[in-house]
Amino acid sequence: MFLLEKLFGGKSSAKVNAIKMLPAAYAEMVGDAGHCQLKRLHPALGVFELHFSTANGEKYACQMTACVAGVDIVFAANNRSVLVSPPFSLAKLRPVFDIALADR
């Protein structure tokens, strides 16, 4: 069986770390106006969930997938996708939230 974890280079690879950076990127983007948590990260499958909460208590969850395209990562959610190229930084991860929050 083929595992995406091999494409991601293991659980501690730069691509997995880019996914783990998403909550920090969201915090930098919105400040105290909201919160984001990464849950159910499965690098072997390329799936995870982002759980958002706003300052007034609204909550939203988004199931996302990530796959490797060469050295880039393609994030997909809500029938949309975005390509993020290395080196991965908080600023480069911001477009992920455009698709994660699209149907909110």
Side-chain angles (χ1 to χ4, degrees), residues 27-77:
E28 181 182 89
M29 191 170 79
V30 299
D32 292 335
H35 181 71
C36 175
Q37 286 185 307
L38 175 67
K39 295 190 177 183
R40 296 180 180 90
L41 173 61
H42 300 286
L45 302 174
V47 297
F48 60 96
E49 290 181 1
L50 291 175
H51 290 250
F52 300 95
S53 59
T54 62
N56 62 0
E58 293 179 42
K59 295 183 179 185
Y60 177 74
C62 178
Q63 293 181 346
M64 298 195 77
T65 59
C67 67
V68 175
V71 295
D72 305 324
I73 301 176
V74 177
F75 291 92

Side-chain angles (χ1 to χ4, degrees), residues 52-103:
F52 300 95
S53 59
T54 62
N56 62 0
E58 293 179 42
K59 295 183 179 185
Y60 177 74
C62 178
Q63 293 181 346
M64 298 195 77
T65 59
C67 67
V68 175
V71 295
D72 305 324
I73 301 176
V74 177
F75 291 92
N78 300 318
N79 292 323
R80 295 170 178 87
S81 62
V82 64
L83 179 88
V84 179
S85 299
F88 303 112
S89 66
L90 299 181
K92 281 190 170 183
L93 292 170
R94 285 185 180 183
V96 174
F97 301 108
D98 292 338
I99 63 170
L101 298 170
D103 290 343

